[in-house]
Amino acid sequence: MAEPAPRLTLIPWDYTSEAHVARMVAQREACGWAASEVRPSWISRAEKGRKTLFWVALADSLPDREQLLQAHKERFPNETTPLRDTAQSLNLFPREPSGTAFLPIGHVAMNKDPTPDLVGYTDGLLPEEGVYWISSLYISPMAQRRGLGRAVMSHLESLVAQAPPAETNGTQESPSGNSLPTAALAGTTIALDTPPKEWHVGQWAKENFWDPLNLPMPKEWYEQQGYSVFATLPDHRPTPMPNGGKTNVPLLLLKKVVR
């Protein structure tokens, strides 16, 4: 049976490009979270190899690609100009950018460290090396509910599951079709955090906390992809609310061994 056509492409974020940085800020503003962290925090961490971000671009083979892109551009008129693949490294591994133009409809981050508020809460629960924390998964609301989030997770898992440098040579095709440095993200485990289900479907959370188009995915969504809860942190993360107040959000920590 033939392999299904790819639904999307993952393209490295070029933190040295003003166009890439400005677009990342715009998409974080659209998402509603962490726009102020792009400069300088995300750039600084990327320079040190602690944070890697990918743009999510629709594959040419996606049947309704043009309709989705048009809907995205109409919803976000400040995102109509294509970017180009210009990142010359991936996780500090050199790469040859293609220069290809693309219009990102989302992004995702991979971090070598948990967020500062989780330091000390995962000791002994995860391997000391080879762990990547996925965060900031964002798909344009105009392209949601089409399986693109699952496709992103699958691609990232395949990148982390690559053999380490001693077992590889050169570059290889990523699951999304890009030529990326072999083993640039080689690891063994993916971890992430998300609020419990009541923080996704509870009426109070819907009315007072989340933009209904930008809800974080619940643990059940991740469990369907093979992730399991390894820690529960009640009322853990102080988080600003849209009305200017603050609340403490409980967290579930999940993981998946990929190699």
Side-chain angles (χ1 to χ4, degrees):
M1 182 180 296
E3 290 290 326
R7 299 175 59 80
L8 53 83
T9 301
L10 296 182
I11 300 172
W13 178 54
D14 184 358
Y15 55 84
T16 69
S17 162
E18 176 55 31
H20 278 236
V21 172
R23 185 65 55 86
M24 186 62 70
V25 172
Q27 289 202 352
R28 293 315 300 172
E29 289 175 343
C31 179
W33 305 98
S36 63
E37 296 179 17
V38 177
R39 313 174 195 258
S41 176
W42 287 14
I43 294 175
S44 175
R45 294 184 63 205
E47 290 173 339
K48 298 172 183 176
R50 308 308 298 177
K51 190 178 192 75
T52 299
L53 285 114
F54 288 98
W55 293 113
V56 178
L58 298 176
D60 292 341
S61 58
L62 192 67
D64 54 351
R65 177 178 185 273
E66 295 306 317
Q67 296 94 313
L68 291 177
L69 289 179
Q70 184 60 34
H72 175 77
K73 289 188 285 187
E74 290 176 359
R75 175 67 176 80
F76 300 104
N78 62 334
E79 295 186 31
T80 58
T81 303
L83 301 178
R84 289 193 175 274
D85 175 11
T86 55
Q88 297 187 27
S89 66
L90 175 66
N91 195 26
L92 302 185
F93 282 68
R95 69 179 291 265
E96 188 68 32
S98 69
T100 302
F102 66 96
L103 189 73
I105 53 87
H107 57 268
V108 65
M110 300 182 70
N111 307 281
K112 289 186 177 178
D113 313 288
T115 55
D117 64 342
L118 296 182
V119 174
Y121 288 90
T122 64
D123 293 351
L125 301 177
L126 292 171
E128 294 185 2
E129 301 289 340
V131 178
Y132 284 94
W133 289 79
I134 291 182
S135 66
S136 308
L137 173 56
Y138 169 72
I139 301 294
S140 168
M142 312 313 295
Q144 291 178 11
R145 302 185 184 280
R146 289 174 170 81
L148 297 177
R150 288 178 183 269
V152 169
M153 297 295 292
S154 178
H155 288 344
L156 294 180
E157 290 165 12
S158 296
L159 291 173
V160 175
Q162 293 178 123
E167 303 173 25
T168 58
N169 180 27
T171 64
Q172 70 178 43
E173 288 293 310
S174 79
S176 52
N178 279 340
S179 180
L180 300 175
T182 301
L185 294 167
T188 64
T189 307
I190 291 178
L192 55 92
D193 66 71
T194 191
K197 186 174 182 177
E198 57 268 23
W199 271 79
H200 298 264
V201 300
Q203 194 62 32
W204 182 90
K206 286 183 177 180
E207 293 178 354
N208 296 280
F209 202 66
W210 305 116
D211 180 330
L213 293 178
N214 291 321
L215 288 169
M217 301 309 295
K219 78 175 181 70
E220 289 77 9
W221 186 78
Y222 293 107
E223 287 176 333
Q224 292 171 2
Q225 300 172 71
Y227 289 79
S228 59
V229 175
F230 69 91
T232 301
L233 305 177
D235 298 331
H236 183 75
R237 178 169 291 164
T239 305
M241 296 172 58
N243 64 8
K246 286 190 176 183
T247 188
N248 292 325
V249 178
L251 294 178
L252 301 173
L253 308 186
L254 294 89
K255 67 177 180 180
K256 180 177 181 178
V257 177
V258 298
R259 186 173 63 84

